[in-house]
Amino acid sequence: MDRHTLRPIGEWDHVLQSIGMILTTPLRSRVMRREFGSELSDLIGRPMTPQIIMAVYAATALAIAQWEPRFALTGVEMGQPTADGRLSLTVYGVFQGDQVSGRVVL
């Protein structure tokens, strides 16, 4: 079910929605599930040095591996941050035997 429209969605769209929720939820922010989420919120807004970019990739990979078992990540590509601080990530991987990619905007 789409979390905005409350309409049924396909499983791939649900996986993309789940990945977006995982990556945009700061660690320790959920009361009953402190370990859910990712470290990306701690990295966004910092100068995008090579070390921070690598940390973004690592945080993305770790969070998806832990929380989205339907998707096996094979790559992440980061777009240029926008003036208002938004960051876009394109995730590549395998979903039920198919090579797929999807974009998540943080």
Side-chain angles (χ1 to χ4, degrees):
M1 180 175 291
D2 184 280
R3 68 183 190 157
H4 300 291
T5 65
L6 303 179
R7 294 181 181 206
I9 57 175
E11 193 167 359
W12 171 238
D13 289 328
H14 187 261
V15 168
L16 280 179
Q17 177 176 275
S18 174
I19 290 171
M21 186 175 296
I22 291 164
L23 297 180
T24 59
T25 300
L27 286 176
R28 299 168 298 282
S29 66
R30 289 207 172 170
V31 175
M32 299 300 285
R33 224 174 180 182
R34 296 281 186 197
E35 68 281 357
F36 180 81
S38 75
E39 296 178 344
L40 288 178
S41 63
D42 296 334
L43 299 170
I44 294 175
R46 296 178 66 183
M48 286 293 136
T49 64
Q51 293 82 7
I52 297 298
I53 292 170
M54 188 59 68
V56 166
Y57 293 153
T60 301
L62 289 171
I64 291 173
Q66 182 174 4
W67 294 107
E68 187 44 78
R70 300 171 291 179
F71 185 73
L73 186 72
T74 60
V76 179
E77 185 177 293
M78 186 171 65
Q80 291 295 318
T82 63
D84 62 353
R86 291 191 178 270
L87 180 67
S88 69
L89 297 173
T90 302
V91 295
Y92 300 92
V94 178
F95 167 67
Q96 295 183 351
D98 294 327
Q99 294 289 329
V100 293
S101 67
R103 178 157 293 158
V104 178
V105 178
L106 310 172

